[in-house]
Amino acid sequence: MRFLKNLLNNVQVEVGPRMMAAAHDLEMEDVNMNMGRDIEEELEEEKEMKEDGKGKDPFKNKKVHRIVSKWMLPENVRRTYLERANCLPPPVFIISISIAELAVFIYYAVWKPQKQWITLDTGILESPFIYNPTKREEAWRFISYMLVHAGVQHILGNLIMQLILGIPLEMVHKGLRVGLVYLAGVIAGSLASSIFDPLKYLVGASGGVYALMGGYFMNVLVNFREMIPAFGIVRLLIIILIIVSDVGFALYRRFFVPANGSPVSFAAHIAGGFAGMSIGYTVFSCFDKALLRDPRFWAAIAAYLACVLFAVLFNIFLSPAN
């Protein structure tokens, strides 16, 4: 009897580990099967997405929108943009402004002799669009000066920058928001010029362009790690290069203008940049949020309006141009 009991105990001891190993093997097989099913499902989803991209709708593939989202948005909102991305409405604001600026430039360049193409002076200084400190009562000049440019390099720099940066921004944020930032920079530029350079003329869309660059610059700076570091460095370097070259031309126009020419103010560049870094940043960082519910937006608007009010009062009561 003792022999039988010992034999049964030995059998139980040997069978127990074997049963546990077998159960463990079954569990591993189940895990592997589940992982295989998950991989197959993912492959099927990718296959369906590829098949959908070959359909009749050209926007389903969204390659252009993917590129735009990497350049314009932090990673956490790109998926939201791609889900609702479309080209309706198209970026009509930036394109319309660019066409208007080019048309006005061609008009004055053709109207004057060909030698005036490089640096326009006489024609634009008599223009009803230019900001003229002696005609500040014509309030439209605080905005319309953006249509007039001082020369080929001046308008080419502004057009290239606002098209390259403005069209992607308008694809993401739409024309109303981009127009708000652009015009805020234009108005800030003319008002700042009337305060810090009160006796100088003002031409060019640099205030609006710098507002777009300022808003985008702040967005890249704040979301640097999320907007692909390598691309982020390239973007910052490109923006800095453009700013340096454009400000250099503006400084030349201001301090080294020929004796027969008229100096043009450069204060709009700085004011437009600050408008972009305040209003522009809050607008461009609220892609997936209601802009009017963001307290940062209203704080920026309040500060902007306070500066506008001060500039208006300065022009009425304190300006040396009075």
Side-chain angles (χ1 to χ4, degrees):
M1 290 295 291
R2 290 181 181 176
F3 174 75
L4 290 174
K5 287 181 180 179
N6 292 334
L7 181 62
L8 289 173
N9 290 334
N10 292 333
V11 169
Q12 289 177 357
V13 170
E14 292 177 359
V15 171
R18 291 178 183 175
M19 292 179 66
M20 292 175 64
H24 179 69
D25 291 339
L26 288 173
E27 290 178 0
M28 291 298 295
E29 288 179 3
D30 291 338
V31 171
N32 291 333
M33 289 177 65
N34 291 333
M35 290 177 63
R37 288 174 185 170
D38 294 338
I39 294 172
E40 289 178 0
E41 289 176 358
E42 290 178 1
L43 292 174
E44 288 178 0
E45 290 178 0
E46 291 180 2
K47 186 177 179 181
E48 289 176 359
M49 291 176 65
K50 290 179 180 179
E51 289 176 353
D52 290 340
K54 296 177 182 178
K56 296 181 179 180
D57 188 356
F59 298 114
K60 285 187 177 179
N61 201 13
K62 296 182 179 178
K63 288 184 179 179
V64 174
H65 292 288
R66 287 194 183 96
I67 296 173
V68 169
S69 67
K70 288 182 180 179
W71 279 86
M72 296 292 135
L73 293 169
E75 187 175 359
N76 59 336
V77 294
R78 288 176 195 162
R79 184 177 181 85
T80 304
Y81 168 71
L82 291 173
E83 288 175 353
R84 62 190 188 191
N86 58 66
C87 290
L88 297 174
V92 292
F93 175 80
I94 288 295
I95 294 175
S96 300
I97 287 292
S98 301
I99 292 174
E101 292 167 1
L102 183 61
V104 171
F105 175 80
I106 291 174
Y107 170 76
Y108 284 108
V110 172
W111 180 48
K112 298 302 294 180
Q114 287 295 321
K115 64 181 181 180
Q116 295 289 328
W117 272 73
I118 301 302
T119 303
L120 302 175
D121 278 314
T122 307
I124 61 173
L125 293 180
E126 297 174 356
S127 170
F129 300 121
I130 189 174
Y131 171 77
N132 186 334
T134 63
K135 298 181 179 180
R136 287 173 295 116
E137 68 278 3
E138 298 174 353
W140 70 82
R141 291 177 181 266
F142 285 87
I143 298 178
S144 63
Y145 78 93
M146 70 179 181
L147 299 173
V148 188
H149 287 78
V152 175
Q153 63 271 50
H154 190 198
I155 190 171
L156 282 181
N158 282 342
L159 286 181
I160 290 172
M161 192 59 216
Q162 73 185 24
L163 288 173
I164 291 177
L165 182 59
I167 288 178
L169 282 172
E170 193 168 347
M171 288 175 64
V172 173
H173 302 284
K174 302 306 177 184
L176 186 61
R177 292 190 176 191
V178 173
L180 171 65
V181 176
Y182 190 91
L183 293 178
V186 169
I187 296 172
S190 57
L191 291 176
S193 179
S194 69
I195 294 175
F196 298 104
D197 233 347
L199 302 179
K200 306 304 178 189
Y201 292 86
L202 180 64
V203 295
S206 296
V209 175
Y210 271 66
L212 297 181
M213 288 195 296
Y216 179 69
F217 176 82
M218 285 297 295
N219 202 15
V220 173
L221 199 62
V222 173
N223 301 291
F224 182 78
R225 294 183 179 179
E226 298 179 11
M227 297 180 76
I228 309 176
F231 282 160
I233 294 173
V234 172
R235 295 173 203 170
L236 292 177
L237 291 177
I238 291 173
I239 292 174
I240 292 171
L241 178 62
I242 293 172
I243 290 174
V244 169
S245 60
D246 193 54
V247 170
F249 176 73
L251 291 173
Y252 167 78
R253 287 284 304 168
R254 175 63 178 83
F255 297 106
F256 302 99
V257 68
N260 60 345
S262 297
V264 176
S265 174
F266 68 95
H269 299 72
I270 300 173
F274 278 113
M277 286 188 287
S278 55
I279 294 178
Y281 168 67
T282 58
V283 170
F284 296 152
S285 63
C286 286
F287 166 74
D288 58 340
K289 301 176 183 177
L291 183 62
L292 299 181
R293 296 180 181 177
D294 192 333
R296 298 177 305 167
F297 173 72
W298 291 111
I301 290 292
Y304 181 85
L305 292 178
C307 293
V308 169
L309 178 61
F310 172 79
V312 170
L313 295 176
F314 178 88
N315 276 274
I316 295 173
F317 300 108
L318 302 175
S319 177
N322 288 340

